[in-house]
């Protein structure tokens, strides 16, 4: 496994980029936040990375960062390049790449809703899934699902006969 | 809509095609119950005979759908790893993934081939599954464990050992111990059910220290071990490991090697770190109270360690030249190297415990003196005398007690090594002396002639299985089902031992009462007969007055649960009160120390100190 | 949820346009999903997709569960086509952990994936027909699918939520005789295909309603991120199984089915062709499974004490609906640090749907959505 020469050539044109192979037909590229749009443009224009498969967001709360991963596929090279950028968790603002890859609109809107990252220039930052949700962006690591559930819902207190019988004899559900 | 293109209109007769369907078998299913597939994940079934209440199903359940229900009527046996509780399933939460079935250590859980439960009664969705099925109708078993579905690792990591040819003539340690990688792999087999904790006399935090090893944090593991046991080096090698008997993984597979993991933890932490970890919670201030302890075995030293950490001034008196008791003078070095005992004792001494060796009670120091010097006295002198069979001829000088010989070997005291010997007994002590003697014989004569004569049949042996196997590798013979009849003496010379066949060992009440077939006599020629049928205590040092004052129960000093005797300043612990084994001694040592501390500090202060 | 403000109609200026809510309970909408359309007469001038009715927070919940426990969750992300979900999750975990899936398990997975594709296409085929009033097709499609569900039940112990594929392989080996029963079922399916053809593809109503409906060009489809059968219906021969192959797909002989119409009809034609190809692949898998023995799962540690090495992986799968992606991050712990599911319908259930609806007629909303095979639960996750 190595990085194809054509890809290396293109990557070398950009500053502050680290690339390494990450398995069969996978290349991982780490890039500074300001360099990502140029990278995506270049990959798209020169090597046919026209398909934005997904944008993933990871909340590295202990580092105070969000990691955004742009998975782009080239039908031509048969290669998936995952471009990783790290942005500050606060204020959590980044630029939209909607103008380069139209599908970005969907993923950016989703990440905004789930992580609270705002994408400047995105076509829509409106809610899509959590229309009635007033709380914090739930995919953030500091949102505790279990706590939310405990506070919101109640456990069913089953009282079947067999349990009553066991309780009469001194047994019961263990905590 | 535009007109239909002619090519799609087709022939006028085309609709008649539909008539052909009149004669086809319908694809709909008949209106009768259809049997579910053979691996269908229907409702839970649980074989209560197999289930031990380990709650692993509850741990793997991703929906919190399983609750353990305590059922007092069920049998409970911590030593065997059986808890009186069974899982109940909440079908409001269950997602029928059957991971509980796949992980169940005993294989008691499975799922039925039943499809439907419909009810308006919410309570009917919470069930306590048994073999009868959810509705009391025995549907056949569906999803059950098979070798692929099993999520547990049933094979333990192998312990590297010295091969028989390399160990048969020396006393260097046989087991080499796990390296950190192997230890982590072994630790990963644990399911954290805690059966080991319940079964251990000292209630060691085995799940916690195993977990720490899995995480690669050996120091944390040592800290967890020191919560309950100041002899990890010793117990990591020679403990009777009741934890492993109770281990849930052992129900179908090989139990987690808990003893070896304990050893791996201390083996992989440097001594100075171990001392720092062990003394982390040592009291900063002294209490000014003094405690005297008689006997530097595991019980006495455990109590000494606890009390010293609490700020008391502790002195231990020991008859032998080195501390350790039976650990040093009873267990051969190939099982437990002396420097390992020294390592554990160094930690105890680092806590401030003073140990006075070569000080025999009744000879060098009296009980009255101890009482005068200390605020409390703990007796932990152990079982230092071998029991005799009292068969004819057993008073011959070449009839020896196993414990006595083992002590001589440790002390380096010479005795005439017999070219041939028989050992009466089938426990670990019998094998300890047999294997020690075999080594000495191989060195002296180049060959081994030691025979162990056990009362029990091969499958009911009291000794650990590895003792039986390894001794055979080293040339020790074993004859099962033989009871001693008499020692054969010609003139002054011992010629050997006569045995008879043992028919049964216990009577109907389960008491020790062997029956023999006196016609089936066997002669075993030997130069020495060694008795290894048990030990007893020699408490003559107590003196008449104290013996009089103390309350006795069937030859043992009467004590309360914490080890306090009827004499207010005197406690007892170790083999004197329970066992004999190291971990029970440690457990009684802890109990006595806690009781002594409470008594010395007064109830209120003791509570504050906690 | 903010309650829509309903103004008094009397106060409004006269308008030719009006809003109509399609769903979430509209019988023509697949699953619980909603599209708000602005109409002028019966022609749509704007469409806004509205999801979230099936949001169960899978990605978040998975962060709280052990690597093995998550296999119980993943099939639920897309009910009509659950196997690719299980497979993608397992494969991403395997990529991070460097696990080697035994050959037999790889073939079993291929078998399961293609059976699932057949089921999903039959379901969509039936549903799509129903949106233009052809209910017989729906009954036939669903009936046929049910016979495949019997096979799933036999192999996995469940009809829909199989929970069968696990990191490292599959949970158990195939039951005796199931390969023969699958073969018999494939024959039955092939016998029915001409009838489906008669009833649907040769049907003047279908041709008239579906031709040109929801059409997109290859350029548009590529720019919009369309994948799967919808992309292939525009003439682009793109298939993850071929381009970014996984399991034993490089050894499998199959054709990539393409059409050029780019409309609802072309999309259904592609699916029909893919059922034929899937049958072909299943037969190859059956032949392979008769020869390849061995374990069906690699050795795994105790699931309660299984820390996957730190790392990340993006597994792509060709599901019946397009490219499915699982991006998983491990921080070296017993649970995933992050799981991101790129639902295969992410594009064509939202942005693409909104575009295609504009200019079409109200009667075609359901048909367009079905012909795109939009699966709302995998968008909502």
């Amino acid at each position: 496994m190595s990085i194809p020469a054509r890809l290396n050539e293109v990557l070398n044109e950009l500053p502050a980029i680290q690339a390494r192979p990450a398995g069969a037909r996978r290349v991982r590229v780490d890039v500074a936040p300001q360099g990502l749009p140029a990278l995506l443009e270049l990959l798209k224009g020169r090597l046919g990375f026209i398909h934005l498969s997904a944008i993933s967001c990871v909340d590295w709360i202990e580092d105070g960062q969000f990691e955004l991963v742009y998975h782009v596929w080239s039908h031509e090279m048969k290669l998936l390049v995952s471009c990783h950028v790290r942005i500050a968790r606060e204020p959590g603002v980044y630029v939209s790449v909607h103008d380069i890859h139209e599908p970005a609109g969907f993923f950016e809107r989703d990440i905004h809703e789930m992580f609270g990252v705002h994408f400047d220039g995105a076509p829509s930052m409106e809610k899509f899934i959590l229309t009635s949700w007033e709380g914090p962006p739930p995919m953030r690591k500091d949102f505790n699902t279990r706590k939310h559930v405990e506070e919101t819902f109640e456990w069913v207190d089953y009282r079947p006969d067999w349990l009553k019988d066991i309780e009469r004899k001194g047994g019961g559900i263990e905590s | 809509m535009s007109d239909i293109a002619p090519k799609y209109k087709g022939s006028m007769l085309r609709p008649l095609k539909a008539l052909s369907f009149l004669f086809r078998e319908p694809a709909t299913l008949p209106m009768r119950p259809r049997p579910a597939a053979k691996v269908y994940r229907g409702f839970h079934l649980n074989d209560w005979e197999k289930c031990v209440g380990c709650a692993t199903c509850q741990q793997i359940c991703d929906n919190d759908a399983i609750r353990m229900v305590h059922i007092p009527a069920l049998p409970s046996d911590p030593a065997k790893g059986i808890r009186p509780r069974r899982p109940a399933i909440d079908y409001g939460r269950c997602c029928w993934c059957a991971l509980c079935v796949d992980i169940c250590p005993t294989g008691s859980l499975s799922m039925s081939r039943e499809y439907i439960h419909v009810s308006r009664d919410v309570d009917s969705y919470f069930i306590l599954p048994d073999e009868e099925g959810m509705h009391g109708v025995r549907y056949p078993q569906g999803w059950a464990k098979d070798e692929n579905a099993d999520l547990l690792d049933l094979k333990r990591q192998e312990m590297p050992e010295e091969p028989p040819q390399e160990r048969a003539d020396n006393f260097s340690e046989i087991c080499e111990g796990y390296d950190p990688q192997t230890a982590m792999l072994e630790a990963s087999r644990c399911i954290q059910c805690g059966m080991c904790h319940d079964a251990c006399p000292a209630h060691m935090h085995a799940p916690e220290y195993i977990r720490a090893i899995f995480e690669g944090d050996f120091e944390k593991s040592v800290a967890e071990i020191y919560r309950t046991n100041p002899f990890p080096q010793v117990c990591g090698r020679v403990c009777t490991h009741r934890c492993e008997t109770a281990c849930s993984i052992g129900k179908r597979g090989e139990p987690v090697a808990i003893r070896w993991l304990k050893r791996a933890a201390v083996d992989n932490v440097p001594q100075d770190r171990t001392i720092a970890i062990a003394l982390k919670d040592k009291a900063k201030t002294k209490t000014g109270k003094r405690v005297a302890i008689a006997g530097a075995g595991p019980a006495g030293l455990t109590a000494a360690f606890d009390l010293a950490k609490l700020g008391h001034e502790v002195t231990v008196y020991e008859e032998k030249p080195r501390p350790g008791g039976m650990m040093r003078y009873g267990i051969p070095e190939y099982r437990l190297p002396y420097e390992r005992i020294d390592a554990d004792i160094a930690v105890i001494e680092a806590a401030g415990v003073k140990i006075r060796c070569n000080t025999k009670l009744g000879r060098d120091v009296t009980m009255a003196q101890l009482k005068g010097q200390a605020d409390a006295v703990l007796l932990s002198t152990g079982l230092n005398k071998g029991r005799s069979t009292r068969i004819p001829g057993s008073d011959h000088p070449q009839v020896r007690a196993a414990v006595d010989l083992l002590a001589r070997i440790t002390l380096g005291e010479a005795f005439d090594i017999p070219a041939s010997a028989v050992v009466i007994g089938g426990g670990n002590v019998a094998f300890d002396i047999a294997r020690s003697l075999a080594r000495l014989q191989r060195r002296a004569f180049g060959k081994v002639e030691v025979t162990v004569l056990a009362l029990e049949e091969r499958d009911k042996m009291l000794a650990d299985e590895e003792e039986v196997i390894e001794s055979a590798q080293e040339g020790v013979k074993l004859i099962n089902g033989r009871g001693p009849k008499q020692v054969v003496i010609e003139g002054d010379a011992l010629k050997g031992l006569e045995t008879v066949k043992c028919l049964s060992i216990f009577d109907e009440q389960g008491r020790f009462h062997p029956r023999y077939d006196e016609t089936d006599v066997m002669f075993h020629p030997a130069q020495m007969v060694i008795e290894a049928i048990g030990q007893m205590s020699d408490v003559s040092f107590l003196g008449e007055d104290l013996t009089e004052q103390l309350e006795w129960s069937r030859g043992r000093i009467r004590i309360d649960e914490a080890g306090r005797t009827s004499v207010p300043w005197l406690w007892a612990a170790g083999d004197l009160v329970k066992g004999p084994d190291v971990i029970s001694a440690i457990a009684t040592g802890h109990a006595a120390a806690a009781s002594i501390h409470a008594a010395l500090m007064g109830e209120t202060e003791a509570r504050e100190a906690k | 949820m903010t309650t829509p403000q309903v103004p008094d109609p009397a106060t409004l200026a006269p308008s030719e346009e009006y809003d109509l809510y399609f769903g979430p309970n509209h019988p023509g909408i697949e699953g619980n999903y909603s599209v708000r359309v602005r109409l002028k007469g019966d022609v749509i001038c704007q469409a806004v997709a509205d999801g979230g009715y099936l949001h169960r927070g899978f990605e978040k919940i998975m962060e709280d569960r052990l690597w093995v426990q998550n296999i119980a969750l993943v099939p639920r992300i897309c009910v009509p086509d659950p196997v690719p979900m299980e497979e993608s999750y397992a494969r991403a975990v395997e990529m991070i952990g460097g696990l080697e899936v035994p050959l037999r398990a790889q073939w079993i997975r291929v078998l399961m994936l293609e059976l699932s594709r057949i089921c999903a296409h039959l379901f969509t085929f039936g549903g799509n027909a129903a949106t233009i009033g052809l209910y017989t097709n729906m009954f036939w499609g669903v009936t046929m699918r049910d016979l495949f569900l019997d096979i799933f039940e036999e192999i996995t112990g469940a009809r829909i939520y199989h929970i069968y594929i696990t990191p490292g392989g599959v949970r158990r080996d195939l039951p005796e005789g199931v390969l023969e029963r699958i073969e018999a079922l494939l024959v039955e399916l092939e016998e029915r295909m001409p009838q489906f053809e008669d009833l649907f593809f040769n049907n003047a109503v279908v041709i008239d309603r579906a031709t040109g409906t929801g059409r997109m060009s290859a350029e548009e489809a590529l720019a919009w991120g369309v994948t799967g059968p919808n992309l292939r219906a525009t003439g682009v021969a793109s298939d993850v199984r071929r381009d970014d192959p996984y399991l034993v797909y490089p050894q499998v002989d199959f054709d990539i089915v393409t059409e050029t119409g780019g409309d609802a009809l072309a999309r259904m034609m592609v699916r029909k062709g893919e059922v034929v190809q899937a049958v072909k692949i299943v037969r190859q898998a059956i032949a392979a499974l008769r020869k390849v023995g061995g374990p069906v799962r690699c050795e795994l540690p105790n699931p309660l004490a299984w820390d996957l090495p730190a790392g990340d992986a993006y597994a792509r799968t060709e599901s019946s609906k397009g490219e499915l992606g699982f991006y998983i991050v491990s921080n070296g712990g017993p649970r995933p640090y992050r799981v991101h599911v790129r639902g295969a319908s992410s594009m064509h259930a939202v942005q693409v749907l909104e575009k295609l609806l504009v200019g079409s007629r109200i009667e075609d909303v359901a048909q367009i959505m079905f012909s795109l095979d939009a699966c709302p639960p995998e968008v909502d996750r």
Side-chain angles (χ1 to χ4, degrees):
Chain A
M1 270 178 292
S2 60
I3 301 176
R6 285 171 68 202
L7 177 61
N8 242 340
E9 259 171 52
V10 170
L11 293 177
N12 285 339
E13 289 175 32
L14 293 164
I17 279 194
Q18 283 184 314
R20 61 175 166 84
R25 294 175 298 283
R26 298 282 186 280
V27 171
R28 179 194 168 110
V29 175
D30 287 272
V31 58
Q34 59 274 20
L36 180 90
L39 172 67
L40 291 181
E41 286 270 21
L42 217 55
L43 288 173
K44 184 182 179 184
R46 298 265 289 275
L47 299 171
F49 285 88
I50 57 166
H51 176 54
L52 176 73
S53 180
I55 307 174
S56 306
C57 182
V58 189
D59 179 5
W60 296 102
I61 187 166
E62 282 172 16
D63 303 340
Q65 287 176 326
F66 285 119
E67 182 179 26
L68 295 168
V69 191
Y70 294 74
H71 309 278
V72 285
W73 173 260
S74 167
H75 292 288
E76 208 177 296
M77 292 188 73
K78 308 277 185 250
L79 193 71
L80 186 94
V81 173
S82 293
C83 308
H84 295 243
V85 293
R86 292 246 188 168
I87 60 164
R89 207 165 173 272
E90 296 301 331
V93 177
Y94 196 52
V95 289
S96 170
V97 294
H98 174 254
D99 46 343
I100 307 167
H101 291 288
E102 218 169 309
F106 170 81
F107 296 111
E108 288 166 353
R109 185 177 173 188
D110 192 61
I111 292 170
H112 174 254
E113 194 169 21
M114 297 295 171
F115 289 88
V117 178
H118 189 272
F119 290 88
D120 282 340
S124 169
M125 287 280 106
E126 275 172 49
K127 285 178 175 177
F128 179 67
I129 288 169
L130 306 172
T131 323
S132 57
W133 176 251
E134 305 289 338
M139 284 302 294
R140 284 180 176 230
K141 284 283 176 187
D142 45 5
F143 177 77
N144 185 328
T145 320
R146 191 155 192 116
K147 189 161 155 270
H148 170 73
V149 168
E150 299 283 357
E151 286 166 2
T152 314
F153 304 102
E154 277 178 8
W155 286 80
V156 177
D157 185 24
Y158 293 104
R159 306 296 308 153
D161 291 340
W162 61 262
L163 182 61
K164 285 182 201 156
D165 190 46
I166 286 171
E167 281 174 343
R168 260 196 304 278
K169 290 170 185 159
I173 295 174
E174 291 184 356
S175 51
Chain B
M1 193 192 278
S2 58
D3 276 347
I4 295 168
K7 72 165 179 167
Y8 297 118
K9 278 185 182 159
S11 139
M12 241 174 77
L13 297 174
R14 208 165 146 190
L16 293 176
K17 217 177 194 176
L19 286 174
S20 68
F21 293 105
L22 277 175
F23 306 102
R24 279 190 67 132
E25 200 189 334
T28 45
L29 295 168
M31 288 291 283
R32 56 183 146 77
R34 176 177 158 279
K38 282 190 181 129
V39 294
Y40 189 69
R41 302 195 298 265
F43 301 110
H44 290 76
L45 301 173
N46 190 16
D47 182 345
W48 281 33
E49 296 291 314
K50 280 192 196 164
C51 181
V52 293
C54 66
T56 312
C57 46
Q58 187 182 25
Q59 281 194 67
I60 196 70
C61 182
D62 39 346
N63 297 312
D64 286 347
I66 299 184
R67 296 282 155 112
M68 297 308 289
V69 179
H70 173 62
I71 305 167
L74 288 177
S76 167
D77 190 346
K80 286 193 184 135
I82 295 170
R83 290 188 185 139
R85 56 185 200 179
R86 296 293 178 264
I89 319 278
D90 175 354
Y91 283 130
R93 302 189 64 83
C94 177
C95 76
W96 284 270
C97 65
L99 285 174
C100 50
V101 176
D102 289 0
I103 202 165
C104 177
T106 64
S108 72
L109 274 176
S110 62
M111 297 185 100
S112 72
R113 290 167 70 184
E114 188 174 2
Y115 273 123
I116 297 166
H117 173 71
V118 182
S119 172
R120 284 171 180 274
D121 175 15
V122 171
D123 287 336
S124 74
Y125 292 83
F126 188 52
I127 69 154
L128 187 66
D130 53 23
E131 282 187 287
E132 296 303 315
M134 185 162 178
H135 303 103
V137 182
R138 273 190 184 242
Y139 275 80
Q141 194 182 55
W143 184 277
K145 211 190 263 284
D146 75 1
E147 56 179 307
N148 289 311
D150 200 334
L151 291 175
L152 294 176
D153 182 1
L154 299 177
K155 284 204 79 71
R156 65 161 65 175
Q157 298 292 319
E158 226 168 284
M159 166 58 81
E161 274 181 13
E162 274 198 15
Q165 63 273 18
E166 275 171 41
R167 65 171 197 245
D169 65 349
N170 61 64
F171 283 81
S172 60
E173 192 173 17
I174 295 172
C175 295
E176 288 161 26
Y178 287 147
D179 60 56
Q181 269 311 315
T182 317
M184 283 159 74
L185 279 175
E186 181 61 22
S188 79
R189 298 175 62 222
C190 174
I191 47 173
Q192 302 279 307
C193 65
M195 291 290 188
C196 44
H197 174 88
D198 295 358
C200 176
H203 298 301
M204 291 198 67
H205 297 89
E208 289 83 355
Y209 73 70
I210 294 172
R211 184 82 202 170
I213 292 175
F214 166 67
E215 288 161 0
D217 192 345
F218 289 83
E219 291 204 357
K220 187 177 164 203
S221 183
V222 168
E224 293 287 350
I225 291 169
Y226 264 96
R227 286 170 72 181
T228 46
N229 189 339
F231 283 102
Q233 297 271 12
V234 171
C235 288
R237 288 173 167 79
V238 299
C239 184
T240 43
H241 57 76
R242 298 186 196 183
C243 44
E244 294 179 21
T245 312
C247 177
S248 294
I249 303 284
K251 294 289 180 288
R252 283 183 309 120
E254 295 172 339
V256 175
I258 305 175
R259 177 174 60 172
W260 299 141
L261 287 174
K262 181 162 45 240
R263 169 177 170 169
V266 275
D267 277 0
N268 286 297
V269 174
Q271 175 81 359
D272 55 329
R273 285 299 304 149
T274 302
I275 291 176
I277 292 162
L279 302 183
K280 211 172 162 200
D281 57 345
K282 183 174 166 16
K284 298 276 182 299
T285 51
K286 294 223 183 306
T287 60
K289 305 282 183 188
R290 286 180 301 180
V291 182
I293 295 176
L301 290 176
T302 298
F305 181 66
D306 285 0
L307 291 166
K309 276 203 304 180
L310 290 164
H312 303 294
E313 200 184 315
V314 187
T315 312
V316 184
Y317 298 90
E318 168 61 43
E319 169 191 351
K320 296 261 182 358
R322 303 276 300 130
M326 275 297 174
M327 301 185 293
R328 187 187 301 272
Y329 294 98
I331 299 172
E333 213 188 346
Y334 58 84
R335 280 217 285 151
L336 177 59
Y338 302 139
E339 72 263 20
R340 297 299 173 178
I341 308 173
D342 294 340
D344 279 343
I345 293 176
V347 177
I348 292 166
E349 285 181 311
V353 173
K354 287 195 198 75
I355 305 174
R356 297 237 177 102
C357 290
N358 293 313
T359 311
K360 186 173 163 67
L361 263 186
R363 184 187 71 197
D364 307 313
V365 63
T366 64
M367 287 303 287
Q369 280 172 314
L370 290 189
K371 192 204 165 195
Q373 288 165 8
D375 301 294
V377 177
L378 173 65
L379 275 186
S380 54
T381 47
L383 307 178
N384 39 15
K385 258 170 67 178
R387 275 184 200 280
S388 170
T389 55
R390 301 192 189 186
I391 51 171
S394 62
D395 49 357
H396 188 278
Q398 278 299 89
V399 178
R400 309 288 285 264
V403 282
D404 180 45
L405 287 183
L406 286 166
R408 277 172 175 274
I409 293 171
T410 304
L411 287 162
E413 285 178 13
F415 63 96
D416 285 335
I417 297 157
S420 61
V422 291
V423 179
I424 305 170
N428 280 337
V429 175
F431 284 92
D432 283 346
I433 187 59
R435 296 177 69 187
S436 295
L437 214 50
R439 282 165 166 74
L440 296 172
Q441 283 180 340
R442 200 176 285 278
R443 254 191 230 165
F445 314 113
K447 63 184 174 103
V448 175
E449 255 193 85
V450 181
T451 306
V452 175
L453 299 163
L455 213 51
E456 298 82 13
E457 288 305 326
R458 176 69 182 84
D459 56 341
K460 298 216 168 60
M461 294 283 288
L462 298 175
D464 291 343
E465 187 59 21
E466 62 253 35
E467 289 292 320
V468 181
I469 293 168
E470 288 174 6
S471 63
Q473 292 168 348
E474 292 160 9
V476 174
K477 281 197 219 56
L478 167 66
I479 303 178
N480 287 101
R482 304 302 300 181
K485 183 176 163 62
Q486 61 171 330
V487 179
V488 180
I489 299 161
E490 275 179 32
D492 281 345
L494 188 146
K495 288 291 171 193
L497 179 72
E498 258 181 26
T499 61
V500 283
K501 186 171 175 56
C502 176
L503 298 173
S504 68
I505 300 174
F506 300 100
D507 64 10
E508 286 80 33
Q509 277 80 44
R511 284 175 304 211
F512 182 77
H513 192 290
R515 287 195 311 114
Y516 300 111
D517 176 1
E518 298 287 344
T519 60
D520 182 346
V521 182
M522 241 172 113
F523 175 68
H524 313 273
Q527 291 176 10
M528 184 186 273
V529 172
I530 301 162
E531 295 175 313
I533 58 160
Q535 292 97 258
M536 54 191 212
S537 64
D538 175 9
V539 285
S540 54
F541 58 80
L542 287 173
E544 259 175 52
D545 286 357
L546 197 52
T547 310
E548 198 91 327
Q549 274 182 51
L550 283 164
E551 283 176 30
W552 296 80
S553 159
R554 284 203 219 147
R556 282 186 168 183
I557 301 171
R558 178 116 149 225
I559 50 161
D560 67 7
E561 272 176 21
R564 196 171 195 173
T565 68
S566 52
V567 175
W569 51 270
L570 189 63
W571 279 259
D575 290 351
L576 276 181
V577 301
K578 207 177 169 193
D581 66 284
V582 177
I583 192 69
S584 295
I586 290 168
T588 57
H590 283 307
S595 173
I596 290 171
H597 180 65
L600 292 184
M601 305 303 289
E603 292 295 334
T604 347
E605 280 179 74
R607 227 175 289 133
E608 278 171 12
K610 270 182 189 171
Chain C
M1 195 181 295
T2 44
T3 324
Q5 294 293 310
V6 184
D8 181 359
T11 64
L12 293 173
S15 168
E16 290 183 343
E17 295 183 4
Y18 62 102
D19 279 356
L20 185 71
Y21 284 83
F22 240 84
N25 285 330
H26 190 279
I29 287 280
E30 195 173 354
N32 300 81
Y33 199 65
S34 162
V35 185
R36 196 179 74 230
V37 288
R38 170 147 291 221
L39 291 156
K40 188 172 183 180
D42 66 352
V43 177
I44 294 162
C45 38
Q46 194 200 10
V48 178
D50 179 18
Y53 300 94
L54 287 162
H55 179 64
R56 292 144 294 174
F58 283 128
E59 292 181 0
K60 183 78 180 179
I61 300 172
M62 284 164 87
E63 293 174 7
D64 283 338
R65 301 191 184 203
L66 302 171
W67 293 107
V68 168
Q69 284 179 333
N70 278 327
I71 64 168
L73 277 180
V74 282
R76 285 155 222 272
I77 299 177
C78 178
V79 189
D81 195 8
V83 179
M85 292 288 167
E86 296 188 6
E87 210 281 326
S88 310
Y89 170 75
R91 187 147 41 82
V93 172
E94 287 150 8
M95 284 160 84
I96 298 173
L99 304 178
E100 195 83 29
V101 179
L103 192 58
R104 184 170 173 80
Q106 295 200 27
W107 278 111
I108 294 178
R109 285 187 182 184
V110 167
L111 177 84
M112 294 290 292
L113 282 166
E114 297 306 321
L115 288 176
S116 186
R117 189 183 316 279
I118 294 173
C119 281
H121 282 344
L122 285 170
F123 205 46
T124 305
F125 168 73
N128 194 52
T131 61
I132 45 179
L134 301 169
Y135 287 95
T136 307
N137 289 45
M138 186 182 79
F139 298 139
W140 285 12
V142 171
T143 303
M144 202 62 223
R145 169 177 178 262
D146 229 59
L147 298 176
F148 279 93
L149 298 189
D150 289 352
I151 297 288
F152 282 134
E153 183 185 327
E154 211 183 317
I155 296 175
T156 71
R159 300 176 74 78
I160 306 282
Y161 299 139
H162 311 141
I163 317 179
Y164 178 63
I165 295 171
T166 187
V170 296
R171 281 172 82 184
R172 54 173 65 223
D173 210 336
L174 299 174
E176 287 244 329
V178 77
L179 296 180
E180 288 71 28
R181 285 187 285 281
I182 297 173
E183 277 176 330
L185 188 56
L186 293 181
V187 171
E188 198 176 332
L189 175 67
E190 280 174 333
E191 279 171 6
R192 297 227 174 183
M193 288 301 276
Q195 293 164 15
F196 291 152
E197 186 91 22
D198 255 6
L199 203 62
F200 192 77
F201 294 101
N202 290 343
N203 188 324
V205 177
V206 174
I207 291 165
D208 196 66
R209 287 284 307 272
T211 306
T213 307
R215 187 198 295 273
M216 55 182 155
S217 69
E219 292 71 32
E220 283 170 330
L222 285 170
W224 295 346
V226 175
T227 57
N230 299 332
L231 178 61
R232 293 191 281 277
T234 67
V236 180
S238 161
D239 189 312
V240 181
R241 290 175 291 177
R242 187 58 58 76
D243 300 341
D244 188 8
Y246 44 96
L247 301 172
V248 282
Y249 275 112
Q251 300 171 40
V252 177
D253 172 34
F254 68 99
D255 299 328
I256 298 178
V257 183
T258 55
E259 289 285 331
T260 50
D263 54 8
L265 185 65
R267 293 194 277 270
M268 288 318 292
M269 300 279 275
V270 167
R271 285 191 189 101
K272 181 187 74 176
E274 286 194 358
V275 169
V276 175
Q277 293 303 316
V279 168
K280 196 168 146 190
I281 300 173
V282 169
R283 290 215 165 101
Q284 293 173 56
I286 290 173
L289 284 166
R290 290 211 166 105
K291 277 184 284 185
V292 179
V296 296
R297 210 188 64 179
C298 69
E299 293 249 345
L300 289 180
N302 166 9
L304 298 170
W306 181 18
D307 289 354
L308 208 64
D312 63 341
Y314 189 59
R316 296 165 78 226
T317 307
E318 185 71 31
S319 90
S320 65
K321 313 193 187 309
E323 176 200 12
L324 171 67
F326 259 77
Y327 179 64
I328 300 185
V329 180
S330 164
N331 64 345
R335 298 172 180 83
Y337 188 76
R338 166 88 170 110
V339 181
H340 178 214
V341 185
R342 184 234 193 252
S345 306
S346 300
M347 288 303 116
H348 61 249
V350 190
Q351 295 187 169
V352 174
L353 179 67
E354 286 171 352
K355 289 191 172 85
L356 292 184
L357 287 180
V358 173
S360 66
R361 284 162 44 188
I362 189 166
E363 63 191 29
D364 287 330
V365 173
Q367 194 201 169
I368 291 174
M369 193 162 166
F370 258 97
S371 73
L372 288 167
D373 201 3
C375 180
E378 64 177 7
V379 178
D380 286 354
R381 292 155 286 146

